[in-house]
Amino acid sequence: MGPTVRERLRAAARPRMIAVLAAFLIMAAVFARLGVWQLDRALSRGEARAQAAAERTERAAPVPLGSVLPPQTTFTSDLVGKHVTVTGTFESDQLLVTGRVVHGRTGALVLTPLRVAGTGAVLPVVQGWVSGVEDPAGTAPPPAGEVTVVGWLQVGEAAGRGGFPAGQTDAISPAELVNSWGGPIYTGYLVVDTIDGAPPAGMVALGPPGTTAGGVDWRNLGYALQWWLFGGFALALWWRMLGDEARERRAADAGDGGEPRPESDVRPEPHDDLGRAHQDGDRPERPDGVRPGPRDEAHSA
């Protein structure tokens, strides 16, 4: 039976084990601090990597929308943040996507349908963000006539809750927008960079997707986990040492200072039988069973 918790706690009260615990706690604290340092590096490196990727996306030359995303085709993950250019005409059925936070403030995205030239398909376009507006009529109207829009692609969102006033929605969902805007429709939407070479007027530009998103450097995160595991091992080792100490104390209390030797290792002293025979006054018998007398012993001598 292994040591009980009470026996381990009794062993922990010994000065030697208290000193060992203090040393292990210092080691665990050092390991924990090294883990936090590696975690900070993992977050900072991930943030720097995400920022560099966003800057590369922003500087990338735009490509024609039709070369990467035809209407009503699957939006793949590699298209997120793709810098594209598209020509078309804005329609007047503008919407406000409510509940969107920018710079810590809650407002709405101005969402406008763009009828793409050459395809007749509808592309949802986010022109920018506004605050304190509940009616699309309170926003600047989209430019008239055919325009060239440059922006970044984003995947369409899931359907919203619904039940909003006319002119409002809570999701940029092509599956829902096709019911009010008609089709065909693109499966993603466009976040505006420029319209005819200028940013939209009267609203806050959003910039490329992911500029505020961070990331994690997995290698440094792995190092952090390793340091924390080392700290846990140090405490586990101390707990095991308490068990060893408790077993020694139990053996000492039972009066057993060590393991008994096997019986095969215990051999009688060679003089025991002879000494006992002399003490009892016995003489060894002859082969015929008759004990020799003193005279016989003399003749035999």
Side-chain angles (χ1 to χ4, degrees), residues 11 47 65 88 111 151 165 224 245:
E47 185 73 25
L65 174 65
L111 183 66
E245 190 80 7

Side-chain angles (χ1 to χ4, degrees), residues 260-268:
R261 291 189 301 166
E263 294 182 359
S264 59
D265 291 344
V266 180
R267 291 181 171 81

Side-chain angles (χ1 to χ4, degrees), residues 15-145:
R16 182 170 69 89
M17 297 309 298
I18 292 176
V20 173
L21 175 60
F24 281 171
L25 286 177
I26 293 174
M27 291 172 57
V30 172
F31 292 154
R33 183 65 188 90
L34 289 172
V36 172
W37 172 64
Q38 288 291 349
L39 178 62
D40 290 340
R41 286 178 61 83
L43 295 176
S44 61
R45 286 187 173 184
E47 185 73 25
R49 187 175 300 169
Q51 184 65 31
E55 291 175 357
R56 287 195 301 269
T57 299
E58 189 173 1
R59 292 194 303 266
V63 299
L65 174 65
S67 66
V68 294
L69 183 66
Q72 300 188 142
T73 58
T74 302
F75 193 103
T76 57
S77 60
D78 61 307
L79 294 178
V80 174
K82 192 76 172 178
H83 207 193
V84 299
T85 179
V86 59
T87 300
T89 304
F90 281 116
E91 297 184 346
S92 59
D93 194 7
Q94 199 159 258
L95 295 173
L96 292 178
V97 185
T98 61
R100 302 303 170 105
V101 178
V102 173
H103 303 312
R105 300 173 58 194
T106 301
L109 302 178
V110 180
L111 183 66
T112 311
L114 178 73
R115 190 70 62 173
V116 178
T119 67
V122 175
L123 175 66
V125 174
V126 174
Q127 295 190 68
W129 177 89
V130 293
S131 177
V133 179
E134 298 182 356
D135 188 346
T139 63

Side-chain angles (χ1 to χ4, degrees), residues 9-10 12 56 124 160 163 234 239 246 258:
L9 294 179
R10 286 174 57 194
R56 287 195 301 269
W239 185 252

Side-chain angles (χ1 to χ4, degrees), residues 272-283 291:
D272 286 350
D273 292 340
L274 181 59
R276 185 167 56 254
H278 286 297
Q279 290 174 0
D280 294 341
D282 294 336
R283 296 180 175 85
R291 297 179 183 276

